Amino acid sequence: MSGQLHRLFNHLAWADARLLEALKTAASPPAEAIREYAHALGADDVWLARLQGRPPRIAVWPALTLAELPGAAAIIHEGYRQYLDALDDAALDRRVGYTNSAGASFESAVGDILLHVAMHAQYHRGKINLLLRQAGAEPAPTDFIAFVRGVPAASTRVPLPPPGAGRPPL
């Protein structure tokens, strides 16, 4: 299982890099897209801090600029690489106690936390791509299968209506 987690976190770093490039090349990247990307990084750091038993380096909703995102991403991705390199399959069942941002206390297995981190980031990447598309910028396909194949996933250039205008017919 730890080998599969390495693949998921290699995908996470790859997808983050593609999305960051899309944000940087957009003529006017939406502030909400930058905020979502910063949140994905902030949440990743909060979970890594819980796994490592230390305080987080950045907030779960940090106020990072586009220029600050690459440095934060590099630190967080390297932290997960080191954590996973030291992890064995037996450690995946270890329980980690933590208090969430609402003040509720929980215990979760290391493996469940790591799967959550990978899935949570992908959820926010989808939102960021929608925001980029709505702003007229090119989204960054970040599908896992494209990462594995090394070939971009098929995509279509479907113009979306402005927010609030309804959905296009299917």
Side-chain angles (χ1 to χ4, degrees):
M1 181 62 168
S2 62
Q4 190 68 352
L5 287 169
H6 275 281
R7 291 180 74 207
L8 286 173
F9 278 82
N10 287 338
H11 167 259
L12 188 149
W14 171 87
D16 278 358
R18 288 184 53 106
L19 199 54
L20 184 57
E21 189 59 31
L23 286 168
K24 288 170 29 180
T25 58
S28 182
E32 185 61 22
I34 294 168
R35 182 177 181 268
E36 286 287 329
Y37 189 99
H39 166 65
L41 292 177
D44 288 355
D45 187 59
V46 166
W47 283 109
L48 183 58
R50 290 171 178 164
L51 290 167
Q52 294 175 330
R54 62 165 174 81
R57 290 177 289 239
I58 60 176
V60 71
W61 283 99
L64 298 175
T65 65
L66 182 57
E68 293 170 318
L69 295 176
I75 290 167
I76 293 162
H77 294 148
E78 178 61 18
Y80 274 105
R81 189 196 60 75
Q82 290 176 10
Y83 183 82
L84 290 170
D85 283 350
L87 192 67
D88 61 19
D89 284 348
L92 295 173
D93 292 326
R94 181 176 62 86
R95 308 289 293 177
V96 175
Y98 57 92
T99 302
N100 71 6
S101 57
S105 294
F106 296 95
E107 270 193 11
S108 297
V110 167
D112 291 340
I113 290 171
L114 292 169
L115 285 173
H116 168 73
V117 169
M119 293 168 60
H120 176 260
Q122 193 65 0
Y123 165 79
H124 285 284
R125 284 188 211 102
K127 289 176 69 175
I128 295 163
N129 273 325
L130 176 62
L131 291 164
L132 284 167
R133 188 175 289 234
Q134 288 174 338
E138 190 68 28
T142 59
D143 292 344
F144 180 78
I145 198 66
F147 165 73
V148 171
R149 290 188 309 220
V151 177
S155 63
T156 58
R157 295 180 190 246
V158 177
L160 293 178
R167 293 177 47 171
L170 297 176

